[in-house]
Amino acid sequence: MSYVPPNQNRIKTFLGCLLAASFFWLMNVLNKDNYSLKLNYPLSIEYDNSAFVSMKPLPRQISVNVSGDGWSLLQKSWLNFNANPVVYRVQNPNKASVINSTALADQVNEMFPNLRVNYVVADTFELNFEPKIRKIIPIRVDSANINIREGYVISSFINVSPSLISVDGPVSLVKLYPDTIHVSVPTPKIQNNYDESLPIPLPVSPLVEVSHRDVFISFEVAQYLQAPPL
C-alpha cells in the first residue's frame, strides 16, 4: 500500500466539504424566488409584405426584464437562448408608427409561463411602412444615336427583349422611376449585325425590386450600295 501523508488527507477532506457546501448553497439559491434578470430574446415582426414595405430595418431582438426563481432564469438565460422568436404581428402597417410594448410584453408572458415579465426595454421600436405599388415601364432604344459606320445602314427592326419591365416597391421610391427607359447602344461604327445584352439604366435600391436589370438588343446591318453613275 502506498503511504498518503496526513496533510494530504486533510486537504482532500476540506475540498470535499467545500464542494458539497457550494453545491447545497447553489441549490438553495436557485430554488429561491424573486430574482430579476434582463434577457435578450429574438424578435420576428410579421406584416403583409405583399402590400407594404418597411422603410427602415426592423428590430430583430428585444430586451425584457423578468422575475422568477433561479432555476427558471437559468434555463431561459443559458439553456433556451436559441428558442423560437417572439412574434409581433402588425395588423395595420399603414397606421403603425411604434411597436406596442404592452402587447409585446403579453406575448412574452405567454412564452414564459413560469416567469413574470416586468417590462420590455424599448430602445428602437419605431415603425415606418409604406404601401407597395407596381409600375410597368416600357424600354425604348435611342435609335437616332446608334453609331453606324459610313456606308452601312440598319436593315431590320430593332428587337428589344424585354420590351417592358416591372418595378415593385414603396410609393415614394417607385414614383421616382421614369415613365419610359431609353437605352443607348454604346458600340461605335457598327458594320455587322448587332446582338448584345446591355444594362438597363436604373437606380439600385434595396427596397425596390426590378424584374430585369439587362435588356437584349439586336438588329441587322447591311452595306449601302450606291447606284452607279449614269
Side-chain angles (χ1 to χ4, degrees):
M1 296 179 62
S2 59
Y3 173 73
V4 179
N7 288 340
Q8 190 171 344
N9 280 331
R10 293 192 191 99
I11 293 174
K12 287 183 177 179
T13 302
F14 173 76
L15 291 176
C17 293
L18 181 62
L19 182 62
S22 300
F23 176 77
F24 286 113
W25 175 83
L26 180 62
M27 295 300 101
N28 183 56
V29 168
L30 290 176
N31 283 321
K32 288 184 178 180
D33 204 349
N34 262 341
Y35 289 106
S36 294
L37 182 68
K38 187 176 82 168
L39 296 177
N40 293 323
Y41 215 76
L43 172 66
S44 175
I45 298 180
E46 295 185 352
Y47 63 97
D48 184 3
N49 56 13
S50 65
F52 293 91
V53 178
S54 176
M55 300 301 289
K56 59 172 58 179
L58 296 171
R60 302 182 66 86
Q61 75 170 23
I62 56 170
S63 296
V64 291
N65 183 280
V66 295
S67 298
D69 63 78
W71 280 114
S72 298
L73 292 177
L74 178 66
Q75 181 187 27
K76 289 301 179 185
S77 60
W78 288 1
L79 306 179
N80 201 30
F81 184 77
N82 292 321
N84 293 330
V86 178
V87 177
Y88 180 85
R89 293 178 175 83
V90 181
Q91 302 297 336
N92 191 347
N94 213 23
K95 295 183 178 179
S97 58
V98 294
I99 293 177
N100 187 324
S101 58
T102 302
L104 191 57
D106 292 340
Q107 290 180 251
V108 177
N109 261 320
E110 293 178 6
M111 298 187 67
F112 300 160
N114 53 344
L115 295 177
R116 183 175 65 258
V117 177
N118 300 318
Y119 55 88
V120 176
V121 183
D123 294 327
T124 53
F125 278 179
E126 294 182 357
L127 300 175
N128 183 11
F129 295 98
E130 277 194 19
K132 178 187 284 189
I133 62 171
R134 167 170 290 185
K135 184 174 185 177
I136 305 299
I137 306 177
I139 299 178
R140 301 288 182 263
V141 176
D142 184 9
S143 57
N145 289 312
I146 296 178
N147 191 329
I148 303 294
R149 182 180 289 275
E150 186 177 354
Y152 291 80
V153 293
I154 297 175
S155 59
S156 70
F157 289 108
I158 298 176
N159 300 305
V160 180
S161 180
S163 59
L164 299 171
I165 65 168
S166 63
V167 176
D168 296 81
V171 174
S172 62
L173 294 182
V174 172
K175 284 185 175 180
L176 299 177
Y177 282 70
D179 295 329
T180 303
I181 298 171
H182 296 277
V183 178
S184 299
V185 176
T187 307
K189 299 181 179 180
I190 299 172
Q191 64 180 28
N192 298 312
N193 294 340
Y194 186 88
D195 52 353
E196 292 289 341
S197 183
L198 300 175
I200 300 174
L202 283 177
V204 177
S205 169
L207 300 179
V208 177
E209 299 175 10
V210 179
S211 61
H212 297 81
R213 285 290 177 182
D214 296 285
V215 60
F216 183 78
I217 297 174
S218 65
F219 52 85
E220 295 178 3
V221 176
Q223 188 172 13
Y224 178 73
L225 297 178
Q226 292 183 345
L230 297 176

